[in-house]
Amino acid sequence: RAPLVEAAVPRRSVPLRTHDKEPRTSSERAAARGVVRVQRDLSGINFFPFLLCNVGTGCSILKVTSESQFERVSGTALGGGTFLGLCRRLTKAASFKEAMDMAEDGDARKVDMLVRDIYGEGEDRAGLQLPGDLTASFFARALSAEPKASDADLCKALVVMISQNLAQIAHLNAQVHGLRRVFFTGNFLRGNDLAMRTIVYTLQRMPRVVVHGELGRRKRDLLLPVGAEPTEAVFFRHEGYFGAIGAYLEQCRNCASAAEQGR
């Protein structure tokens, strides 16, 4: 049995570099109902280093500098386990698929409080200059009796809460390590278009959120250079196979090493 990280995580760079149709990202229309997938050509660029955000029960973030060198630089206890556990406690959903099917028909705005709910629709937003549709507080609308949220709304709000937090944590780590590209993988994202488009949409607007205002201008040099492009989220077309591929490659390496030693 190969160690999980050594077998599964860095080996993802092999299909990424050898199969040009493997990586994909989404267009700026990521907030729309459907995900608009865009093929990501990684040829002709400096492939390493990059961040790998592995979202399973929780989340680990690794900085990968080569096919054999990597280090865990961050992570969070938020992940698929958080989502399903809360869905089971708060709704009638019993499985991940059932919860995601509900989420597709839900409306997170019936659960989350937005900036405009606090500061109104004015352009100034009390001097903060924040977008009105930016999430101000997750689940804060549950404090009031109206509007009543359905199970679908709760599931949708949980996907949004976890995905937005994952995007923010990934973005901040990318800035700390001077990287722009983040590969997202893990069971939580397997076929999860809602989470993927939420991550992309959040990352695309992150620079516009953090640099506004006088405070933002003073901190901008530490966070984002002027005119910096947003952190790019890249997903895998064949998510779910890489652990098996990594374990196979690890076993091949072990067998070759044993043969050289005459075992």
Side-chain angles (χ1 to χ4, degrees):
R1 180 181 175 184
L4 175 61
V5 174
E6 292 185 6
V9 177
R11 299 304 192 275
R12 282 166 167 79
S13 61
V14 175
L16 278 174
R17 299 189 71 184
T18 57
H19 300 281
D20 60 358
K21 294 184 178 180
E22 184 58 46
R24 68 187 185 195
T25 185
S26 301
S27 75
E28 293 183 356
R29 298 196 318 232
R33 185 69 175 175
V35 175
V36 182
R37 293 184 176 88
V38 178
Q39 203 66 50
R40 185 67 172 94
D41 184 8
L42 297 178
S43 62
I45 66 171
N46 294 325
F47 187 76
F48 297 105
F50 60 83
L51 285 186
L52 183 64
C53 188
N54 192 42
V55 190
T57 305
C59 172
S60 287
I61 299 178
L62 294 96
K63 179 181 179 181
V64 183
T65 53
S66 73
E67 292 183 9
S68 60
Q69 294 182 329
F70 61 92
E71 61 174 329
R72 187 182 188 277
V73 295
S74 186
T76 174
L78 289 171
T82 313
F83 170 72
L84 185 55
L86 288 173
C87 282
R88 285 181 174 177
R89 288 290 184 179
L90 299 176
T91 74
K92 296 179 181 179
S95 66
F96 183 82
K97 183 180 185 306
E98 187 177 355
M100 288 307 307
D101 287 343
M102 288 185 182
E104 285 293 344
D105 296 323
D107 186 354
R109 294 171 296 181
K110 294 182 180 179
V111 181
D112 298 336
M113 186 172 290
L114 306 181
V115 168
R116 62 170 171 256
D117 296 326
I118 300 175
Y119 297 110
E121 297 287 350
E123 292 295 327
D124 183 61
R125 315 274 185 223
L128 298 178
Q129 299 182 10
L130 294 173
D133 62 345
L134 189 71
T135 305
S137 182
F138 297 109
F139 277 72
R141 276 185 172 268
L143 296 172
S144 61
E146 296 294 337
K148 184 175 177 57
S150 66
D151 281 4
D153 299 331
L154 292 171
C155 289
K156 175 69 169 289
L158 285 169
V159 176
V160 171
M161 179 182 72
I162 293 170
S163 301
Q164 285 188 2
N165 275 277
L166 291 174
Q168 185 174 32
I169 293 169
H171 168 75
L172 293 175
N173 274 277
Q175 295 302 307
V176 167
H177 295 281
L179 303 173
R180 179 176 171 263
R181 191 177 305 109
V182 182
F183 290 95
F184 286 87
T185 183
N187 288 339
F188 177 66
L189 299 174
R190 188 178 304 169
N192 192 343
D193 285 353
L194 176 57
M196 287 190 286
R197 66 175 178 257
T198 300
I199 288 172
V200 171
Y201 183 65
T202 302
L203 288 177
Q204 285 174 343
R205 69 189 309 187
M206 191 72 70
R208 290 188 288 274
V209 171
V210 300
V211 301
H212 280 311
E214 189 62 34
L215 179 61
R217 281 193 289 273
R218 289 200 298 269
K219 289 186 175 181
R220 183 165 54 193
D221 291 339
L222 297 176
L223 294 174
L224 285 169
V226 176
E229 296 182 359
T231 303
E232 181 184 28
V234 186
F235 304 95
F236 296 87
R237 177 180 295 274
H238 296 98
E239 174 53 61
Y241 292 91
F242 297 110
I245 293 174
Y248 172 75
L249 293 174
E250 185 74 8
Q251 185 63 25
C252 289
R253 187 174 68 86
N254 291 339
C255 290
S257 177
E260 290 178 359
Q261 297 176 16
R263 296 180 184 176

